[in-house]
Amino acid sequence: MPNKNFGHELLATADQKNFDQIVTDPTVDAALFAHIHMPLWRYTSSGQLVLNPGSVGQTWFTRPHFLRNRDASYLLLTISEKGIIDFDFRRIPFDIEKELAFASANGYPYVDLYQKLLTTGYASTHDQALLAKVNQERGYKELAAEFVHSLP
């Protein structure tokens, strides 16, 4: 959205008026956006193309059946002097266990929440109560303060 970079206003099922706000310049033929983690192909009311490539590691769908497939998604966009020739949405396997092992071995914080995100698609990003509890239990606030103070 023009003045907002969070929320669900651009999910595939969102109101058409939301997509019409993406491209305000009538000379623009296509817009790419991100953040919803869901591959999307849609048009504005003026016929401008609106594309979202999805997500390499955190694919999201609103339908549980689609959400079970945790493969990475991306978009190949082919452009020539004539304009957009093709757009190709692709999915490839994403090794969740390898990613989680790397995160754990390298001491990433919130590994259990990261595992939930990668295996189910459900993020805890906006669960303030849960995050406060985890931060308290693990001393993350203090660790963050130590890190900031250690910077040159």
Side-chain angles (χ1 to χ4, degrees), residues 9-141:
E9 287 86 352
L10 296 175
L11 290 177
T13 55
D15 290 340
Q16 182 63 39
K17 66 181 172 65
N18 296 352
F19 289 90
D20 292 344
Q21 291 180 49
I22 294 177
V23 190
T24 56
D25 182 344
T27 65
V28 171
D29 293 324
L32 296 169
F33 75 100
H35 184 66
I36 63 167
H37 300 258
M38 173 188 277
L40 180 126
W41 164 9
R42 216 168 143 161
Y43 294 92
T44 67
S45 295
S46 300
Q48 296 152 304
L49 184 62
V50 178
L51 299 169
N52 188 303
S55 176
V56 173
Q58 298 178 18
T59 301
W60 170 255
F61 291 96
T62 53
R63 295 191 56 81
H65 180 78
F66 294 144
L67 194 55
R68 286 195 301 253
N69 180 349
R70 307 301 306 141
D71 289 348
S73 62
Y74 65 100
L75 169 67
L76 293 177
L77 186 62
T78 306
I79 302 172
S80 77
E81 58 281 344
K82 294 180 182 179
I84 296 174
I85 295 174
D86 191 22
F87 46 93
D88 182 8
F89 289 94
R90 299 214 177 159
R91 302 289 302 269
I92 58 170
F94 175 69
D95 191 337
I96 291 171
E97 294 306 318
K98 184 175 180 180
E99 170 65 13
L100 290 171
F102 179 86
S104 184
N106 286 283
Y108 283 22
Y110 307 101
V111 171
D112 53 334
L113 300 180
Y114 190 43
Q115 179 178 12
K116 176 185 164 193
L117 170 66
L118 292 181
T119 58
T120 69
Y122 293 100
S124 301
T125 310
H126 302 291
D127 187 339
Q128 296 301 314
L130 174 62
L131 293 174
K133 179 180 180 230
V134 171
N135 289 342
Q136 176 71 30
E137 289 173 352
R138 299 177 190 171
Y140 284 160
K141 184 176 179 181

